[in-house]
């Protein structure tokens, strides 16, 4: 009997780094908000951290559940869950520094640098790179949804498998 191939699934946090004047600008005073550029960037940084932590905990729970299923039934599909951050190439080091600042994280962070002229181009490029690495499915979220329920992420993978 041949061993079944491991199915690879990825969660992509698609974002840009927290640069003052470039993120959460609608919350700044110049656009009628209540924050200055630095405060808006710090707010976004904290959102990134919250979203990343929620994503990782969802993936860890999915991994444990799959590991238990395979232990109970060796014929069950083995799944590997990985966490990715996608950002424009010129912001890669800043994004890495942003996440290294708070570390350590509960799981490894993989980075992809996306390219393109439009949001859609960048998004498609990030997905294409991850699929080219052999991943079977990808769930993607933005970096500015700190109240995202962990269950929504788990359910997203379940729907893709369905």
């Amino acid at each position: 009997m041949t061993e079944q191939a491991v199915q690879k699934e990825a969660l992509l946090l698609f974002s840009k780094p927290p640069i003052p004047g470039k993120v959460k600008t609608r919350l700044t005073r110049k656009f009628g908000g209540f924050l200055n550029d630095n405060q808006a960037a710090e707010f976004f940084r904290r959102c990134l951290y919250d979203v990343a932590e929620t994503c990782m905990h969802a993936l860890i729970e999915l991994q444990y559940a799959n590991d238990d299923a395979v232990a109970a039934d060796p014929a069950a599909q083995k799944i590997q869950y990985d966490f990715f951050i996608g950002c424009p190439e010129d912001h890669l080091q800043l994004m890495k520094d942003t996440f290294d600042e708070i570390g350590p994280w509960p799981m490894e962070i993989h980075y992809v640098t996306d390219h393109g002229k439009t949001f859609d181009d960048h998004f498609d490029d990030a997905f294409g790179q991850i699929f080219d690495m052999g991943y079977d499915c990808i769930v993607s979220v933005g970096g500015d949804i700190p109240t995202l329920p962990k269950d929504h992420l788990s359910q997203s993978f379940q729907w893709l498998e369905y």
Side-chain angles (χ1 to χ4, degrees):
M1 184 162 111
T2 61
E3 190 172 311
Q4 189 177 25
V6 173
Q7 182 169 316
K8 294 170 62 174
E9 300 190 3
L11 198 154
L12 170 64
L13 176 64
F14 188 74
S15 187
K16 53 189 169 184
I19 300 171
K22 300 289 184 185
V23 294
K24 297 291 153 212
T25 56
R26 290 172 297 206
L27 299 176
T28 62
R29 292 184 190 110
K30 64 184 158 198
F31 292 103
F34 58 96
L35 302 175
N36 65 39
D37 287 346
N38 289 331
Q39 291 169 326
E42 183 59 25
F43 172 73
F44 185 68
R45 175 189 323 278
R46 291 169 189 250
C47 287
L48 276 172
Y49 292 157
D50 286 349
V51 172
E53 185 175 43
T54 299
C55 290
M56 289 181 186
H57 284 287
L59 292 174
I60 289 166
E61 285 182 10
L62 287 165
Q63 190 67 68
Y64 286 157
N66 181 255
D67 292 349
D68 288 346
V70 171
D73 177 7
Q77 176 65 58
K78 173 72 175 151
I79 302 172
Q80 171 187 321
Y81 295 94
D82 290 313
F83 179 70
F84 285 83
I85 295 176
C87 67
E89 186 172 25
D90 56 338
H91 293 141
L92 176 62
Q93 191 57 54
L94 179 55
M95 189 63 95
K96 285 182 176 182
D97 292 345
T98 297
F99 279 89
D100 288 348
E101 222 171 81
I102 196 173
W105 289 91
M107 65 186 305
E108 183 177 0
I109 299 174
H110 304 275
Y111 293 90
V112 293
T113 56
D114 48 80
H115 304 87
K117 292 183 179 182
T118 67
F119 175 87
D120 289 346
D121 291 343
H122 282 269
F123 198 72
D124 291 347
D125 185 55
F127 266 67
Q129 289 180 57
I130 295 170
F131 281 129
D132 287 348
M133 290 181 220
Y135 284 82
D136 299 291
C137 72
I138 304 166
V139 170
S140 182
V141 296
D144 59 352
I145 45 175
T147 60
L148 176 68
K150 182 175 50 173
D151 291 346
H152 285 42
L153 297 167
S154 301
Q155 290 169 358
S156 296
F157 282 102
Q158 292 166 352
W159 275 106
L160 286 173
E161 291 168 11
Y162 174 72

